[in-house]
Amino acid sequence: MKKTEKLLLAALMCLTMASACSSQNNSQNADAFDPANIKTVADAFAIEAGSTEWTQSGNQFVYAFDKDGECYRFFVDLPDETVAEIDKLDILDQEHDEKLYNLISTLPIARTEYLNETAISQEELDKLVGKTGGDLLADGWSIWMSNLETMEYNFHYGPHSYTVVFDGNVDNYDVDPEEAIKTMPVKSVKFAGLGDIYAE
């Protein structure tokens, strides 16, 4: 079963489990950050980032973070015995994240991806201006947040997130967001960061 959670307590976890994090990454600062130095889950968790997310499905664990607008995701192959232990955890347990971390912290990173590099270029995003919200939805874009005052809608498209501004108005949040923007033209689109981190 796929599990996806925002790591809202990631910073606290890094503080309380500092002894488990590699000394190399504990000494890292913003200027010295190098994704090539991230060899294990502990290394990845030790990085101070603006937002972090994780997801686990079967024998794969994916961790991603946005550090100063630079987005990375890390793939970890989980041994069968580790998956069995993870499945025993209670998602409602207040210590769930800590217990999960303890199970996977020493596992190696199998693959690292720099998401900014795989995002749609601004040149290509500009070509979406004039299309409608319905066009985006038909192409697989999905709304996850909106601001009706500015008409900014945040969309997930693959592992990336984009901010789309529409030329129109919506009166209230009770209106189905997809129906509201189906015929509205796009004014602008820009890369916003992490999207569905498990998506290709």
Side-chain angles (χ1 to χ4, degrees):
M1 181 178 67
K2 181 177 178 181
K3 302 175 183 177
T4 304
E5 293 291 334
K6 288 278 187 180
L7 287 181
L8 299 178
L9 300 180
L12 177 60
M13 289 172 62
C14 288
L15 288 175
T16 57
M17 297 180 287
S19 60
C21 299
S22 73
S23 58
Q24 178 182 28
N25 281 284
N26 279 341
S27 63
Q28 276 188 321
N29 54 44
D31 295 330
F33 171 68
D34 183 352
N37 291 332
I38 299 178
K39 306 295 186 181
T40 67
V41 172
D43 293 339
F45 272 53
I47 301 298
E48 294 183 7
S51 63
T52 60
E53 294 185 34
W54 64 264
T55 183
Q56 181 247 328
S57 180
N59 288 74
Q60 189 171 70
F61 179 87
V62 183
Y63 179 70
F65 61 67
D66 182 333
K67 180 176 176 61
D68 302 321
E70 303 291 302
C71 300
Y72 298 86
R73 66 174 172 175
F74 307 89
F75 296 83
V76 181
D77 296 327
L78 301 175
D80 290 339
E81 56 270 25
T82 301
V83 174
E85 290 302 313
I86 291 174
D87 288 342
K88 294 177 184 178
L89 298 179
D90 181 358
I91 193 67
L92 299 179
D93 184 352
Q94 292 184 349
E95 297 180 350
H96 174 274
D97 287 353
E98 182 175 349
K99 292 176 180 178
L100 173 66
Y101 175 87
N102 289 335
L103 288 172
I104 66 175
S105 62
T106 61
L107 295 178
I109 302 297
R111 177 164 63 95
T112 299
E113 183 178 359
Y114 178 44
L115 291 177
N116 292 54
E117 195 170 62
T118 58
I120 302 173
S121 69
Q122 188 57 54
E123 181 180 2
E124 290 301 311
L125 292 176
D126 290 340
K127 294 179 182 179
L128 298 176
V129 174
K131 289 184 175 291
T132 65
D135 292 330
L136 297 184
L137 295 169
D139 286 340
W141 293 54
S142 59
I143 301 169
W144 66 274
M145 190 172 65
S146 62
N147 183 336
L148 300 188
E149 292 184 6
T150 60
M151 286 305 294
E152 292 180 327
Y153 281 68
N154 287 91
F155 282 80
H156 282 170
Y157 186 68
H160 312 100
S161 177
Y162 301 89
T163 299
V164 180
V165 180
F166 287 98
D167 187 5
N169 293 288
V170 178
D171 294 332
N172 61 74
Y173 286 99
D174 292 331
V175 177
D176 184 301
E178 293 190 357
E179 290 297 327
I181 53 88
K182 265 190 175 179
T183 60
M184 284 188 188
V186 172
K187 289 178 64 176
S188 65
V189 190
K190 64 180 180 180
F191 175 63
L194 300 176
D196 179 359
I197 66 168
Y198 201 73
E200 293 298 328

